[in-house]
Amino acid sequence: MSDDPSCAGPRVRMVPPGDDRERLVCPECRYVAYQNPLIVVGSVATWEDRILLCRRAIDPRTGFWTLPAGYMEERESTMEGAAREAWEEARARIAVDALLAVYDIPRISQVQLIFRARLLSPEIAPGPESLEVGLFRWDEIPWRELAFPTVLWALREHEARLGQTSFPPAVNPTPDALARWERML
Amino acid sequence: MSDDPSCAGPRVRMVPPGDDRERLVCPECRYVAYQNPLIVVGSVATWEDRILLCRRAIDPRTGFWTLPAGYMEERESTMEGAAREAWEEARARIAVDALLAVYDIPRISQVQLIFRARLLSPEIAPGPESLEVGLFRWDEIPWRELAFPTVLWALREHEARLGQTSFPPAVNPTPDALARWERML
Ligand SMILES: [Zn+2]
Ligand SMILES: [Zn+2]
C-alpha cells in the first residue's frame, strides 16, 4: 500500500454506511476491511504414550514448544485444517479422534479448536515453521518452555481424558484449575 | 472503492510475497485482503418444551425460519456471541448450557458453533433482522420452511440429546442420518 500515494490502505476506524460497528476503512478508496475472529485449528497427537510437540522457528515465541496448530484456511473443514497443520509443522500424518477443547481468546479475537488425534506413524520431521519436533512422554514434556498458555491447557485436558471415548470439549480453564496447573510446573 | 479511479480495491487473485496461497490483492495499493473462514455462533434456545425460532427479514432466505445465529464479532467469546445473536434477532435473554454442534461448511468457508441454551424468560420480540419470532413445540416446528440445512440438523441433534447433560458436540450428519431426517419432513 505504499507505491500509490493516493491510497494508503484500510486504516481509519469508522462505521460504514448500513453497518453498526467501527471497521477499518481506507479513506481514499472506501474499501472496508472487515475484521473477524480467526479460527486456530490444532491437535494433541500421540504415538503410543508420547505426544507430538514442535519447537517454533518463527515469531512469536521462537524456540518454545507448541502443539501443531495454526490458522484455518478457506475451503477446508476444521479436522482437515488440524491434519494440514500437523503435516506442515511436523511432517506428521494424523487421524483425528475427537474435539478435545474449544478455547475463546476474545482479547485477540481468536477461537481455538484443538482435536485429539493419533499419529499414523512415528515418522516426523520439522516443517519450515519448526526448529525441531519430538515425541514426548508426559514426564519429558518441556513444561517451562511451552509457547502459549493454551498448549498447557490442552495437554492437561488431554491427560484428564485418557481412556475416555465420549466427552464434551474442554473450555477455558477456571482460575482454580489454572492455579493448580501452574503449581505443578 | 469507486470514487478514486487510481485504486479499485482488492480484486486480483495472486500469491503475495512470503505467502504460499492466492489472496485477493489490490493491484494499485498492494493491499492484501486475507480471506479467512468465518465463525457463525447460534443456539437452540428453549423455554420449557418450546424452541425459539426467528423468521428472517433479510436475504438470504427471507421469510424462512432459522435459529438465532450470526457471525461472531471481534472481542467476544463464542458463548457471548450466541447470547448477543439471541438478543439481536429475538430480543431473547439466554443462558448457554452446552456446545450442541460444530458444523463445517467448507464450500463457503464457514464454521458454525451451535449451543444449547435456556431462555431466561418467555418474553421475545423480533429484532431488526426478524419478521417474527416464535416458541414452537416439536410438532409445531415449520419443518418445510426452515432457512438452512444446519437449522434442521441442529434441531434434530438437540432432540436426540434431551435429558443428556454431558455429550460431545454433533458434527455434520452422515448421508444416512440426512436421508432419514429428510424422509421425516
Ligand atoms: Zn484504498
Ligand atoms: Zn487499493
Side-chain angles (χ1 to χ4, degrees), chain A residues 1 3 6-7 10 21 23 29-31 33 35-39 72-75 78 104 106 109 166 168-169, chain B residues 1 3 6-7 10 21 23 29-31 33 35-39 72-75 78 104 106 109 166 168-169:
Chain A
M1 328 174 215
D3 296 15
S6 73
C7 179
R21 277 165 203 255
R23 314 287 176 181
C29 71
R30 308 267 192 277
Y31 178 76
Q35 306 257 19
N36 298 100
L38 292 176
I39 305 173
M72 190 177 173
E73 289 280 358
E74 290 202 279
R75 278 172 287 281
T78 48
D104 285 301
S109 299
S166 177
Chain B
M1 308 166 234
D3 295 16
S6 71
C7 180
R21 276 165 203 255
R23 314 286 179 183
C29 73
R30 307 270 192 275
Y31 178 78
Q35 306 257 18
N36 297 99
L38 292 176
I39 306 172
M72 191 177 172
E73 289 280 356
E74 291 202 280
R75 278 171 287 281
T78 49
D104 284 302
S109 299
S166 177

Side-chain angles (χ1 to χ4, degrees), chain A residues 1-4 6-10 13 19-21 23 26 28-33 35-39 71-80 84 88 99 102 104-111 113 165-169 171, chain B residues 1-4 6-10 13 19-21 23 26 28-33 35-39 71-80 84 88 99 102 104-111 113 165-169 171:
Chain A
M1 328 174 215
S2 50
D3 296 15
D4 181 347
S6 73
C7 179
R13 292 199 79 86
D19 202 342
D20 60 356
R21 277 165 203 255
R23 314 287 176 181
C26 173
E28 285 85 40
C29 71
R30 308 267 192 277
Y31 178 76
V32 181
Q35 306 257 19
N36 298 100
L38 292 176
I39 305 173
Y71 290 117
M72 190 177 173
E73 289 280 358
E74 290 202 279
R75 278 172 287 281
E76 68 183 3
S77 72
T78 48
M79 289 185 191
E80 287 165 354
R84 177 182 50 71
E88 289 181 4
L99 181 59
V102 177
D104 285 301
I105 325 282
R107 183 179 55 83
I108 54 172
S109 299
Q110 202 178 84
V111 178
L113 298 181
T165 55
S166 177
F167 48 80
V171 296
Chain B
M1 308 166 234
S2 50
D3 295 16
D4 181 348
S6 71
C7 180
R13 293 201 79 85
D19 201 341
D20 60 356
R21 276 165 203 255
R23 314 286 179 183
C26 174
E28 284 85 41
C29 73
R30 307 270 192 275
Y31 178 78
V32 182
Q35 306 257 18
N36 297 99
L38 292 176
I39 306 172
Y71 290 117
M72 191 177 172
E73 289 280 356
E74 291 202 280
R75 278 171 287 281
E76 68 184 3
S77 72
T78 49
M79 290 186 191
E80 287 165 354
R84 177 183 50 71
E88 288 182 5
L99 182 58
V102 177
D104 284 302
I105 325 282
R107 184 179 54 83
I108 53 171
S109 299
Q110 201 177 84
V111 177
L113 299 181
T165 54
S166 177
F167 47 81
V171 296

Side-chain angles (χ1 to χ4, degrees), chain B residues 11-26:
Chain B
R11 65 197 186 281
V12 176
R13 293 201 79 85
M14 57 168 283
V15 179
D19 201 341
D20 60 356
R21 276 165 203 255
E22 285 195 342
R23 314 286 179 183
L24 280 182
V25 178
C26 174

Side-chain angles (χ1 to χ4, degrees), chain B residues 103-166:
Chain B
Y103 293 131
D104 284 302
I105 325 282
R107 184 179 54 83
I108 53 171
S109 299
Q110 201 177 84
V111 177
Q112 300 193 359
L113 299 181
I114 310 295
F115 293 91
R116 187 169 76 176
R118 285 178 306 101
L119 287 158
L120 298 180
S121 99
E123 287 164 54
I124 56 173
E129 298 184 358
S130 303
L131 294 171
E132 56 177 317
V133 294
L135 290 168
F136 294 86
R137 291 205 171 79
W138 186 252
D139 56 6
E140 298 166 345
I141 290 173
W143 294 106
R144 298 182 163 280
E145 295 163 57
L146 298 181
F148 308 109
T150 51
V151 177
L152 172 64
W153 305 355
L155 288 170
R156 288 278 169 197
E157 301 286 9
H158 181 269
E159 179 77 359
R161 284 162 186 74
L162 284 177
Q164 293 182 40
T165 54
S166 177

Side-chain angles (χ1 to χ4, degrees), chain A:
Chain A
M1 328 174 215
S2 50
D3 296 15
D4 181 347
S6 73
C7 179
R11 64 196 187 280
V12 175
R13 292 199 79 86
M14 58 169 282
V15 179
D19 202 342
D20 60 356
R21 277 165 203 255
E22 285 195 341
R23 314 287 176 181
L24 279 183
V25 178
C26 173
E28 285 85 40
C29 71
R30 308 267 192 277
Y31 178 76
V32 181
Y34 280 92
Q35 306 257 19
N36 298 100
L38 292 176
I39 305 173
V40 166
V41 284
S43 60
V44 177
T46 53
W47 177 259
E48 294 165 358
D49 63 342
R50 291 180 295 164
I51 295 173
L52 173 62
L53 294 176
C54 312
R55 201 152 76 85
R56 289 173 63 82
I58 54 170
D59 278 335
R61 302 288 282 161
T62 303
F64 288 81
W65 292 89
T66 190
L67 297 167
Y71 290 117
M72 190 177 173
E73 289 280 358
E74 290 202 279
R75 278 172 287 281
E76 68 183 3
S77 72
T78 48
M79 289 185 191
E80 287 165 354
R84 177 182 50 71
E85 289 291 339
W87 176 254
E88 289 181 4
E89 301 192 356
R91 296 296 179 247
R93 295 294 185 192
I94 66 171
V96 169
D97 162 40
L99 181 59
L100 176 66
V102 177
Y103 294 131
D104 285 301
I105 325 282
R107 183 179 55 83
I108 54 172
S109 299
Q110 202 178 84
V111 178
Q112 300 192 358
L113 298 181
I114 310 295
F115 293 91
R116 186 169 77 175
R118 284 178 307 101
L119 286 158
L120 298 179
S121 100
E123 287 164 55
I124 56 173
E129 299 184 359
S130 302
L131 294 171
E132 57 178 315
V133 294
L135 290 169
F136 294 85
R137 292 206 171 79
W138 186 253
D139 56 6
E140 298 165 345
I141 290 173
W143 294 107
R144 297 182 163 280
E145 295 163 57
L146 298 181
F148 308 108
T150 51
V151 177
L152 171 65
W153 304 355
L155 289 170
R156 288 278 169 197
E157 301 286 9
H158 181 269
E159 178 78 359
R161 283 162 187 74
L162 285 177
Q164 294 182 39
T165 55
S166 177
F167 48 80
V171 296
N172 294 35
T174 62
D176 278 4
L178 268 182
R180 193 168 62 245
W181 294 341
E182 270 157 29
R183 279 196 306 273
M184 289 171 166
L185 288 185

